[in-house]
Amino acid sequence: MYYLVHTVSVIIRQFFVSNPFENAAIEVPFGPVFFNMIIGAALVLITYMVVGIFYKRRSSPAVGSMLFLLFYLVHNGLLVLMSKVEFNKILIGIILVAYMAFLTISKKVVMRITCDI
């Protein structure tokens, strides 16, 4: 099951998720494709760390792969949102604080649900 979920996840990330810098309101250094490659590498690392908040490694690889895809899409969406606000530092700060609060609350809810079982 893991290999199927992983393959679908890779296909979605490679072919169906857009470059968040392609239609950015401001110019990005070295062009949008190269910039996306650099940020994409960091995005994978950040997504891996965020998935680790909710998922115990090797407990269920298919679930981990689905969570990775979900959070990758969320993080890519946040980058699209940041590019739409023209990388305004104040608005980016608000977006990041709101996302951190969401992660904190989500972790507490997940812990409460799993500890009650």
Side-chain angles (χ1 to χ4, degrees):
M1 182 68 174
Y2 164 73
Y3 293 108
L4 175 68
V5 173
H6 175 69
T7 303
V8 169
S9 175
V10 169
I11 290 170
I12 289 172
R13 285 185 283 135
Q14 288 298 319
F15 299 111
F16 295 109
V17 177
S18 66
N19 180 348
F21 307 104
E22 205 167 278
N23 298 321
I26 63 171
E27 290 294 318
V28 291
F30 305 113
V33 174
F34 182 73
F35 196 69
N36 187 44
M37 289 171 39
I38 293 171
I39 297 299
L43 189 64
V44 167
L45 180 62
I46 292 168
T47 303
Y48 183 78
M49 289 188 293
V50 169
V51 169
I53 296 171
F54 299 97
Y55 169 72
K56 184 179 176 189
R57 194 171 180 191
R58 292 189 175 98
S59 62
S60 177
V63 171
S65 187
M66 285 188 286
L67 282 174
F68 186 85
L69 176 62
L70 175 73
F71 279 110
Y72 185 86
L73 293 174
V74 168
H75 293 156
N76 196 36
L78 289 173
L79 282 175
V80 169
L81 182 62
M82 290 176 195
S83 71
K84 295 293 182 193
V85 298
E86 300 177 4
F87 297 102
N88 183 319
K89 291 177 184 173
I90 294 171
L91 292 175
I92 287 176
I94 292 170
I95 291 168
L96 291 178
V97 167
Y99 182 62
M100 294 293 189
F102 168 75
L103 287 177
T104 304
I105 292 168
S106 298
K107 177 62 177 176
K108 289 185 181 200
V109 168
V110 167
M111 288 300 293
R112 181 166 292 199
I113 289 171
T114 57
C115 289
D116 288 344
I117 295 176

